[in-house]
Amino acid sequence: MSSTKGSSLWQSEKEIDFTSQTAEEELKYILATDVGSTTTKARLFHKTEDGEWRFLVAGESPTTVETPYENVCMGVRNAVREIEELTGLRILSEQGTVKRPHEDGYGVDFYCTTSSAGGGLQMMVAGVISNLTAESANRAALGAGSIVMDIMAVDDERPDYEKIRRIRNLRPDMILLGGGTDGGTTTLVMQIAELIAAARPRPRLGASYDLPLIYAGNKLLHKQIETLLNDKFAVSIVENLRPVLEEENTEPARRAIHELFMEHVMSHAPGYTELMGWTDLDIMPTPAGEGMGMQLIARIENSNVLRVGLGGATTNVYSIFDGRFVRSVSANLGMSYSVSNVLKESGIENIIRWIPFDLDEDTLENLLKNKMIRPTTIPQTLKMLLVEHSVAREALRLGMEHHKTIAVRLKGVRKAQRMIGEMMEYTLQESYIDMMKIDVIAGTGGLLSHAPKRIQSLLILTDAWQPEGVTRFYQDSVFMMPHLGVLSTAYPDIAWNVFDKDCLVRIGSVIAPRGTAKLGEKVFHIQMKMPDNSVVEKDMVYGDIVKIPLGEGLKAEAVLTPARHFDIGAGEGKVLETTVEGGIEGVVVDTRGRPLVIPEDPAERKSTLLK
Amino acid sequence: MRMRKEESVDQTAEEAHAYTPGLKVKRRIIVEKTRRLPIEGEVLIEKGAKVDFETIVAKTEIPGDPLIIRADELLGLPTRDVPTFLIKKIGDDVEEGEVIALYSAFFGLVKKELKAPVKGTIESYSDVTGQMIFRSAPIPVVVNAYIQGQIAEIIPREGVVIKTEAAYLQGIFGIGGERHGILHMVAESPDETLTEDKITPEHKGMILVGGNLATYGALIKAIEYGVKGIIVGGIRGRDISKLLGFEIGVAITGEEDIDLSLIVTEGFGEMEMSHRTFNLLKDFDGKQAAINGTTQIRAGVLRPEVIIPYDQQESGSFADEPELSGGMKPGTPVRIIADPYFGKIGTVSNLPVQLHVVETGSKVRVVDVQLDGGEEVTVPRANVEIIEE
């Protein structure tokens, strides 16, 4: 039986010291910021007279990490000033710092921030075997909120000189080196360590300090690793990521990443030393904050959750499945800067299949490349909007495919005693993510948040990820997940309250049986007892998709009866009685089949897409 | 295609920011180029010196690539025994093929040699892995001036700043690195397509200016005849992929292994070159120009560029063009950069404060633009760029 540690919340020195923390009941105002790569976003939360914590107002300003400013604090001040103007609450002290605590109508009681300025935390990870220790190192780094620039392993088929050139060119912020179980291989671990030593990569932010390297491999090698790497890197040694093949232990590596991120990387970024002095919690990488925000949903609702941040340059997918938290970053799948890369990765025919009108391949390619070179433009025509929504479906599909390669059971377990070569047979392990068991799908990012109608973002996510059974759909109202994530490390109840009331928009539920049939064949019957005691009944045929109104906060008792070869969650042909939650778009019943098949005939395809 | 106004009362702003910065098209400005080594080295030139495109201004050496061999396996020895048989020490310089370890047994019947795989230094040997690392000879790196001009500043051990008076224009997208050559107008008008039959052997070493499109055939013919660069309004996405042998996913270019630099001024597809750009280039027909197709569209954006330095005798008296304030107000010339008016040029007539509902159903901030043809259109502010005059 595989086991995983390390799905717990991110913690740090400042967070652990709860004794010095202000008691929740004494707080009135909380300020949280996210210093993004282009925009610094400030959010102010306050306790209402009823004692309830709510989001009050947002302030935004360009991030000031690059020349001529080179001090992130300026952007933070500007964003906070916007909040001051909007609320009339004075927050900044005369020295320009965040005044704490709130006294005489001045200041806030608590301040925390996340950051991805300057490209976030960029890491390179290495291990001995690609799908064992290197994969565990990758999961640890991703879980810590970093962008993984490359994964190196002894068996990754690149010649040594190519790996060395790659390490030298990458200039990562940090390296995580795993490899070997405790008491296992030493030679192969040292081989990859020597390769890194020979490459001598220099840090990205200033060349005046040693690059941080975390060793989380075979414990027998602690001394040799220190001897080999100490004069070239700032070496930290933590517990093994894979002490035995059956166990993955990512938490010590993740903590070390966070500490080193603060100590070595952030402290060399312009203005961060000053900003660190303002905050009540350590600065956290934005994706780590977002991941923690997501854990709020899973913990409180005790659900399996999928979440996506579909951005302009990247697609971040987070999953919490049976308590296990995994994050993936598809670095070049996005809707503006990387839109052309979605075309490249998916193939033009896969994008065209979602477009409900005639468009030749050359025109489509030119349209997307023009978006790539002018990424801030927005669709003005309905046709361009539909093109972008089609690309979004493919970006999400590919992002999920990538996520599933990371969200897998530990490999190499059953053949633990055998040769390494044989373990590599495990490359095609299936992901444990089962769409039938996903309870919640949540989306954020420009395209999904700015879709003119919420139903559009629901359909984009449904087409791309093909949820099965009964799935609830959420979306962010205002971008504040990283803010609430970092806040939750100190005040989880406050964070959840704001999250529940002000962050999440409940779009509705999708009911979709698994199975395929012939178009027009009767495959599903739904009966819903509505809150007003009326009963809605529908016979659904294969290829149909319909919407049943059921407002936000309302629930209906449903009896779902699939046809013989269809499954709605209780087994093929078996009836499921369940409670279905509504939302602003109600309940969507989708009997277009799972897997979803888009007809190849152009006329039939268009008619299916326009339903 | 007009949009429905969300509110009946119109309010207008006096000034607003364009979300997309405009491309520079400057007839005469001071261009400063910093030419820097990747790591510290030696600056070869003095402040005030005149430089040409190819003048080397700084040089350095970067450490050679490491090369790893399995010394234990090659000698057939246990890992720990290898040092005993080394005849060269760690840190020694070696020639390629030089014997560095010798093992003989059974009175010389078994004899094995270990030879240096490269000229360089023996950097280390690991008695854990049996790996021996060689560092090959340092690699020389030089930086040239790239443009004609004068050294305005020396950056000690790093490089120089070169200053020149020049016509300067930016493209929207490019491929290929730095090159220079004689600027030559092939297209007679900005809407003329550059086809392969218009490229001749006489164009060798030149930078050619086309109109609305360069065809794939023209690109191939240009490479065949040794053309240094092409400046053109539009290019088909497919043709770029065919030319490079791979598809560009993100707009980060400049390192392509290709004997031609391409500067696209408007975008992908058939796109008439802006008249202003075309006329400026026409005025410099026959002059030497430096071009660089390097493009990076992300935070810290880099656009491809064309620099046409003024002849030394022409310089001296000109008024520096004022920098644009960055604001967009009624009368500001703009170019629309998204459908349905892609490429159209006009002036800002109005900056409504209220959000407008566009055809997609989205509520967005908009700008009213009086097109050159007289028609007035309303477009999202995100879909215009200011033309810098």
Side-chain angles (χ1 to χ4, degrees):
Chain A
M1 176 73 185
S2 313
S3 72
T4 306
K5 292 180 188 172
S7 59
S8 63
L9 296 178
W10 182 300
Q11 287 176 320
S12 69
E13 296 300 317
K14 282 188 183 178
E15 292 153 32
I16 292 163
D17 185 14
F18 285 108
T19 50
S20 65
Q21 195 175 290
T22 313
E24 201 174 308
E25 52 274 17
E26 290 171 28
L27 304 177
K28 197 168 177 201
Y29 289 97
I30 292 176
L31 176 72
T33 55
D34 171 54
V35 184
S37 50
T38 49
T39 312
T40 298
K41 304 150 203 101
R43 307 290 182 251
L44 184 67
F45 309 113
H46 80 134
K47 188 157 61 181
T48 63
E49 284 175 4
D50 308 336
E52 193 177 44
W53 277 92
R54 300 296 296 260
F55 161 69
L56 188 62
V57 75
E60 299 193 356
S61 178
T63 293
T64 47
V65 74
E66 289 182 25
T67 49
Y69 314 105
E70 290 186 335
N71 185 344
V72 286
C73 293
M74 290 173 67
V76 173
R77 275 189 204 108
N78 292 340
V80 174
R81 263 189 210 114
E82 206 170 296
I83 285 186
E84 289 183 324
E85 283 164 18
L86 290 166
T87 57
L89 173 71
R90 201 172 141 212
I91 298 172
L92 294 171
S93 69
E94 278 165 15
Q95 295 75 36
T97 63
V98 174
K99 155 85 172 65
R100 279 159 300 142
H102 175 80
E103 287 168 319
D104 306 324
Y106 170 31
V108 295
D109 298 300
F110 194 81
Y111 172 53
C112 53
T113 190
T114 54
S115 171
S116 56
L121 169 61
Q122 303 186 4
M123 289 187 68
M124 199 204 85
V125 303
V128 169
I129 304 295
S130 305
N131 60 11
L132 297 177
T133 46
E135 190 178 284
S136 292
N138 184 36
R139 267 194 290 266
L142 285 167
S146 79
I147 292 165
V148 176
M149 304 165 90
D150 205 337
I151 306 165
M152 296 227 168
V154 175
D155 70 334
D156 72 11
E157 290 181 357
R158 284 177 287 189
D160 286 346
Y161 71 87
E162 210 175 280
K163 286 181 196 165
I164 287 170
R165 187 165 300 164
R166 180 86 178 129
I167 301 170
R168 291 175 88 171
N169 290 340
L170 282 179
R171 296 171 74 92
D173 293 324
M174 203 185 290
I175 295 175
L176 172 61
L177 170 62
T181 52
D182 284 339
T185 178
T186 51
T187 314
L188 295 174
V189 182
M190 287 308 286
Q191 257 182 35
I192 197 102
E194 285 166 13
L195 203 96
I196 293 168
R200 295 185 205 160
R202 301 304 309 159
R204 191 165 54 107
L205 298 163
S208 58
Y209 67 101
D210 287 336
L211 187 71
L213 181 144
I214 299 161
Y215 175 70
N218 187 347
K219 66 180 177 189
L220 296 180
L221 288 172
H222 288 179
K223 267 217 169 115
Q224 281 101 317
I225 289 286
E226 276 189 340
T227 311
L228 175 72
L229 300 172
N230 245 356
D231 61 334
K232 303 178 183 79
F233 297 88
V235 178
S236 300
I237 291 182
V238 299
E239 284 171 42
N240 197 342
L241 285 161
R242 289 291 281 269
V244 290
L245 280 174
E246 293 81 359
E247 187 182 308
E248 188 172 84
N249 178 27
T250 54
E251 190 56 24
R254 267 203 268 182
R255 279 182 189 231
I257 292 169
H258 187 206
E259 278 159 27
L260 292 170
F261 174 66
M262 295 296 298
E263 199 180 311
H264 289 266
V265 184
M266 279 291 99
S267 60
H268 291 92
Y272 275 95
T273 313
E274 187 184 347
L275 187 63
M276 281 182 210
W278 298 6
T279 62
D280 291 301
L281 292 174
D282 278 351
I283 301 170
M284 184 183 283
T286 304
E290 199 166 3
M292 296 198 55
M294 180 175 154
Q295 296 199 32
L296 283 173
I297 313 179
R299 284 177 174 222
I300 307 289
E301 300 208 352
N302 195 22
S303 313
N304 289 330
V305 185
L306 279 178
R307 177 180 168 81
V308 65
L310 177 60
T314 61
T315 297
N316 279 268
V317 178
Y318 305 81
S319 64
I320 295 182
F321 198 91
D322 291 343
R324 188 174 190 193
F325 171 64
V326 168
R327 165 178 172 253
S328 64
V329 182
S330 301
N332 281 325
L333 292 177
M335 290 310 301
S336 58
Y337 296 94
S338 319
V339 71
S340 194
N341 202 54
V342 178
L343 170 79
K344 181 179 170 181
E345 302 263 318
S346 70
I348 202 156
E349 62 290 345
N350 275 328
I351 292 177
I352 282 187
R353 70 187 171 135
W354 298 113
I355 300 178
F357 54 88
D358 290 326
L359 188 67
D360 67 85
E361 292 188 359
D362 276 357
T363 309
L364 175 61
E365 182 160 355
N366 290 335
L367 279 175
L368 297 183
K369 288 219 153 60
N370 280 322
K371 174 84 179 185
M372 168 185 80
I373 56 176
R374 289 179 167 111
T376 52
T377 55
I378 57 174
Q380 179 172 359
T381 63
L382 197 54
K383 283 193 169 179
M384 193 59 207
L385 182 81
L386 292 173
V387 166
E388 288 198 8
H389 285 184
S390 304
V391 179
R393 285 168 165 87
E394 286 303 302
L396 290 165
R397 181 181 67 81
L398 293 168
M400 178 52 77
E401 269 181 21
H402 178 210
H403 186 79
K404 283 183 173 175
T405 64
I406 294 167
V408 288
R409 288 181 184 87
L410 295 184
K411 292 165 192 162
V413 172
R414 276 179 287 163
K415 291 195 176 181
Q417 303 306 315
R418 299 196 191 175
M419 296 297 289
I420 282 160
E422 289 178 70
M423 289 174 195
M424 286 153 65
E425 290 165 14
Y426 278 74
T427 49
L428 294 174
Q429 284 259 2
E430 267 188 34
S431 171
Y432 51 74
I433 290 182
D434 176 358
M435 294 310 290
M436 187 65 88
K437 293 182 180 159
I438 294 291
D439 306 297
V440 175
I441 290 178
T444 187
L447 181 131
L448 294 171
S449 307
H450 298 144
K453 294 172 184 157
R454 298 278 189 207
I455 189 77
Q456 289 165 335
S457 58
L458 182 141
L459 287 174
I460 290 167
L461 282 163
T462 299
D463 288 347
W465 285 0
Q466 302 184 29
E468 296 172 356
V470 181
T471 315
R472 301 194 296 282
F473 278 72
Y474 295 167
Q475 196 170 311
D476 291 4
S477 58
V478 179
F479 179 82
M480 60 169 111
M481 194 75 126
H483 306 73
L484 296 176
V486 62
L487 178 62
S488 74
T489 61
Y491 297 107
D493 292 341
I494 294 176
W496 168 250
N497 209 49
V498 178
F499 191 79
D500 184 41
K501 298 272 179 353
D502 299 312
C503 178
L504 285 185
V505 175
R506 288 161 171 88
I507 315 180
S509 294
V510 171
I511 299 173
R514 180 195 284 169
T516 54
K518 283 186 189 148
L519 275 181
E521 199 176 305
K522 191 190 156 197
V523 293
F524 193 64
H525 179 82
I526 178 168
Q527 185 195 71
M528 278 169 62
K529 191 174 172 200
M530 307 303 271
D532 63 357
N533 284 328
S534 65
V535 175
V536 174
E537 276 198 76
K538 274 189 198 300
D539 273 325
M540 300 282 296
V541 297
Y542 190 73
D544 252 358
I545 181 163
V546 298
K547 197 167 96 169
I548 300 170
L550 181 65
E552 204 175 353
L554 300 178
K555 290 180 181 174
E557 295 308 317
V559 181
L560 310 173
T561 314
R564 201 154 52 93
H565 297 300
F566 280 75
D567 183 1
I568 192 67
E572 284 195 357
K574 291 192 175 148
V575 175
L576 178 73
E577 291 187 21
T578 186
T579 304
V580 178
E581 286 184 24
I584 51 178
E585 294 293 347
V587 176
V588 171
V589 189
D590 178 3
T591 51
R592 296 173 301 165
R594 295 290 185 271
L596 176 61
V597 181
I598 303 290
E600 283 183 16
D601 173 67
E604 226 174 73
R605 181 174 60 82
K606 281 177 218 162
S607 121
T608 302
L609 292 174
L610 290 170
K611 269 185 184 165
Chain B
M1 187 172 310
R2 293 300 306 240
M3 286 174 276
R4 175 163 63 85
K5 291 189 176 169
E6 203 193 19
E7 293 169 41
S8 57
V9 183
D10 271 5
Q11 284 182 321
T12 58
E14 285 177 358
E15 185 167 344
H17 288 277
Y19 300 115
T20 308
L23 300 176
K24 285 191 165 70
V25 181
K26 302 277 187 183
R27 185 164 290 275
R28 190 160 194 161
I29 58 163
I30 297 278
V31 173
E32 278 191 354
K33 280 281 154 192
T34 301
R35 308 293 291 165
R36 208 186 280 264
L37 290 164
I39 57 169
E40 288 190 353
E42 188 186 352
V43 176
L44 303 173
I45 205 148
E46 287 179 0
K47 190 174 171 179
K50 299 249 165 78
V51 289
D52 207 346
F53 299 99
E54 302 278 1
T55 310
I56 305 292
V57 295
K59 68 170 186 181
T60 189
E61 286 181 336
I62 56 171
D65 285 337
L67 201 136
I68 301 176
I69 59 167
R70 285 296 300 266
D72 54 349
E73 283 178 5
L74 291 168
L75 287 168
L77 286 173
T79 307
R80 287 186 184 280
D81 293 349
V82 171
T84 319
F85 298 94
L86 287 179
I87 53 179
K88 286 275 182 180
K89 295 192 298 294
I90 302 301
D92 280 358
D93 290 336
V94 289
E95 292 296 322
E96 185 178 347
E98 191 178 343
V99 177
I100 53 167
L102 187 63
Y103 164 65
S104 101
F106 298 110
F107 311 104
L109 285 174
V110 175
K111 204 171 173 182
K112 283 191 174 167
E113 286 179 349
L114 184 64
K115 291 178 179 174
V118 284
K119 177 182 161 59
T121 314
I122 308 173
E123 188 165 286
S124 65
Y125 174 74
S126 163
D127 58 12
V128 176
T129 62
Q131 291 190 136
M132 183 172 278
I133 297 173
F134 294 85
R135 182 76 55 178
S136 60
I139 304 158
V141 175
V142 296
V143 171
N144 69 12
Y146 168 53
I147 55 171
Q148 287 172 328
Q150 199 165 13
I151 303 294
E153 190 189 329
I154 301 285
I155 309 164
R157 298 182 300 284
E158 287 188 53
V160 297
V161 178
I162 303 169
K163 226 171 176 178
T164 193
E165 290 167 32
Y168 181 84
L169 56 94
Q170 288 177 320
I172 186 76
F173 175 79
I175 54 170
E178 297 172 348
R179 289 194 166 87
H180 68 94
I182 300 277
L183 197 69
H184 178 72
M185 301 299 288
V186 178
E188 287 178 4
S189 67
D191 59 353
E192 186 181 318
T193 301
L194 182 62
T195 47
E196 59 179 298
D197 55 296
K198 292 176 185 159
I199 297 175
T200 66
E202 285 73 51
H203 292 144
K204 183 177 179 178
M206 290 181 168
I207 295 165
L208 306 182
V209 181
N212 61 359
L213 182 78
T215 63
Y216 177 69
L219 299 175
I220 294 295
K221 191 55 85 61
I223 292 170
E224 191 187 321
Y225 288 154
V227 169
K228 288 282 181 71
I230 288 180
I231 307 167
V232 71
I235 194 84
R236 291 192 191 103
R238 280 276 159 106
D239 293 345
I240 292 272
S241 310
K242 240 172 31 182
L243 184 73
L244 298 176
F246 61 89
E247 203 171 315
I248 288 181
V250 285
I252 295 175
T253 68
E255 300 284 322
E256 296 76 23
D257 184 16
I258 183 175
D259 295 325
L260 177 84
S261 292
L262 176 73
I263 314 280
V264 179
T265 62
E266 314 301 315
F268 286 91
E270 201 176 295
M271 298 221 168
E272 185 177 327
M273 187 183 283
S274 108
H275 288 240
R276 210 162 150 262
T277 307
F278 188 83
N279 291 337
L280 188 142
L281 290 167
K282 201 171 164 185
D283 289 348
F284 290 89
D285 194 8
K287 301 277 184 191
Q288 281 276 358
I291 58 171
N292 185 359
T294 303
T295 309
Q296 287 189 8
I297 300 175
R298 57 180 181 187
V301 68
L302 268 183
R303 293 286 184 191
E305 63 185 9
V306 180
I307 302 170
I308 314 164
Y310 276 77
D311 293 340
Q312 307 285 328
Q313 61 271 28
E314 286 178 72
S315 38
S317 59
F318 75 97
D320 204 353
E321 289 190 27
E323 281 297 309
L324 202 77
S325 69
M328 184 164 64
K329 42 192 158 190
T332 303
V334 290
R335 183 204 325 247
I336 301 174
I337 52 169
D339 279 342
Y341 307 108
F342 201 131
K344 293 252 185 345
I345 287 168
T347 50
V348 173
S349 58
N350 206 6
L351 289 160
V353 170
Q354 301 91 350
L355 298 178
H356 279 52
V357 179
V358 293
E359 185 192 311
T360 59
S362 292
K363 290 177 191 168
V364 296
R365 302 205 76 183
V366 294
V367 53
D368 295 334
V369 178
Q370 177 96 43
L371 297 181
D372 282 357
E375 189 189 355
E376 189 173 286
V377 296
T378 304
V379 294
R381 283 189 198 173
N383 294 356
V384 297
E385 65 188 17
I386 295 174
I387 297 174
E388 296 202 17
E389 292 196 309

mmCIF file of all heavy atoms in Angstrom, chain A residues 109 120 201 249 349 416:
data_model
loop_
_atom_site.group_PDB
_atom_site.id
_atom_site.type_symbol
_atom_site.label_atom_id
_atom_site.label_comp_id
_atom_site.label_asym_id
_atom_site.label_seq_id
_atom_site.Cartn_x
_atom_site.Cartn_y
_atom_site.Cartn_z
ATOM 1 N N ASP A 109 -4.984 45.087 11.326
ATOM 2 C CA ASP A 109 -4.504 44.242 12.415
ATOM 3 C C ASP A 109 -3.547 43.154 11.954
ATOM 4 O O ASP A 109 -2.790 42.594 12.744
ATOM 5 C CB ASP A 109 -5.704 43.581 13.121
ATOM 6 C CG ASP A 109 -6.610 44.619 13.735
ATOM 7 O OD1 ASP A 109 -6.121 45.368 14.594
ATOM 8 O OD2 ASP A 109 -7.774 44.714 13.303
ATOM 9 N N GLY A 120 8.249 34.373 -10.515
ATOM 10 C CA GLY A 120 7.974 33.375 -9.482
ATOM 11 C C GLY A 120 9.230 32.590 -9.129
ATOM 12 O O GLY A 120 10.355 32.995 -9.432
ATOM 13 N N PRO A 201 25.816 26.021 -12.319
ATOM 14 C CA PRO A 201 24.861 27.055 -12.745
ATOM 15 C C PRO A 201 24.930 28.270 -11.841
ATOM 16 O O PRO A 201 25.236 28.152 -10.658
ATOM 17 C CB PRO A 201 23.507 26.354 -12.609
ATOM 18 C CG PRO A 201 23.739 25.300 -11.587
ATOM 19 C CD PRO A 201 25.163 24.866 -11.698
ATOM 20 N N ASN A 249 7.735 11.296 0.735
ATOM 21 C CA ASN A 249 7.785 12.188 1.887
ATOM 22 C C ASN A 249 8.236 13.568 1.397
ATOM 23 O O ASN A 249 9.402 13.927 1.498
ATOM 24 C CB ASN A 249 8.767 11.596 2.914
ATOM 25 C CG ASN A 249 8.936 12.479 4.133
ATOM 26 O OD1 ASN A 249 8.030 13.232 4.492
ATOM 27 N ND2 ASN A 249 10.096 12.413 4.755
ATOM 28 N N GLU A 349 -6.631 20.694 -35.910
ATOM 29 C CA GLU A 349 -7.921 20.020 -36.091
ATOM 30 C C GLU A 349 -8.670 19.880 -34.774
ATOM 31 O O GLU A 349 -9.894 19.898 -34.733
ATOM 32 C CB GLU A 349 -7.738 18.659 -36.796
ATOM 33 C CG GLU A 349 -6.897 17.616 -36.088
ATOM 34 C CD GLU A 349 -5.405 17.926 -36.038
ATOM 35 O OE1 GLU A 349 -4.928 18.809 -36.789
ATOM 36 O OE2 GLU A 349 -4.708 17.290 -35.232
ATOM 37 N N ALA A 416 9.894 -3.590 -6.080
ATOM 38 C CA ALA A 416 10.906 -2.908 -5.299
ATOM 39 C C ALA A 416 12.247 -3.632 -5.249
ATOM 40 O O ALA A 416 13.295 -3.004 -5.194
ATOM 41 C CB ALA A 416 10.392 -2.679 -3.893
#
